[in-house]
Amino acid sequence: MMNFTPDFGWYYIDANQKSPSWTGVPYFWNFMTRQAPSVGPVAQPCALEDLQPGDLVQLSFNGQEFQHTPVVVRVTAPITLETVLIAAHSYDADNRPLSTYTFQDIRFLHVLGTIRP
């Protein structure tokens, strides 16, 4: 579901026509956790223990800003960084344990669904 609101929407037409939330990690967080209802996917911050397949992880490699958003593809109990497996495309990965990343900070997003028009 695309939201063509300039600057604050959620859309991808092509590599030159996309919203900041499509490719910018902090913009993505802000869009997904927005308080005002608008068309598009929505999520809420959650704890590691609440992650499910389809949820998202954001990593900060420098401790100052978040720079990467892999997708959770599998979670097994007990839920730890070792048992949360992710997929990513910056450096192709699938079923990669979250524990194999070196990062300074981490946060989690549980996807709630989509707001439709």
Side-chain angles (χ1 to χ4, degrees):
M1 187 65 52
M2 299 292 172
N3 176 334
F4 292 98
T5 305
D7 298 327
F8 301 106
W10 171 261
Y11 61 91
Y12 185 97
I13 298 168
D14 60 36
N16 296 314
Q17 299 177 60
K18 58 187 177 263
S19 65
S21 61
W22 196 266
T23 55
V25 174
Y27 299 103
F28 178 77
W29 176 274
N30 291 340
F31 180 79
M32 293 296 284
T33 61
R34 67 197 180 281
Q35 297 301 308
S38 64
V39 172
V42 291
Q44 66 184 16
C46 69
L48 172 68
E49 299 78 26
D50 298 323
L51 286 175
Q52 299 175 15
D55 287 344
L56 305 153
V57 175
Q58 290 199 323
L59 301 171
S60 172
F61 301 116
N62 63 13
Q64 297 175 19
E65 59 192 5
F66 287 90
Q67 299 134 315
H68 190 49
T69 307
V71 177
V72 176
V73 294
R74 185 173 181 202
V75 179
T76 54
I79 300 174
T80 66
L81 294 179
E82 291 80 25
T83 63
V84 172
L85 304 182
I86 56 91
H89 189 58
S90 297
Y91 300 101
D92 287 344
D94 190 23
N95 290 297
R96 178 179 174 174
L98 193 50
S99 62
T100 63
Y101 280 91
T102 301
F103 55 87
Q104 299 295 312
D105 200 1
I106 190 168
R107 61 188 180 186
F108 310 103
L109 279 171
H110 174 65
V111 177
L112 299 171
T114 301
I115 297 175
R116 298 187 173 275

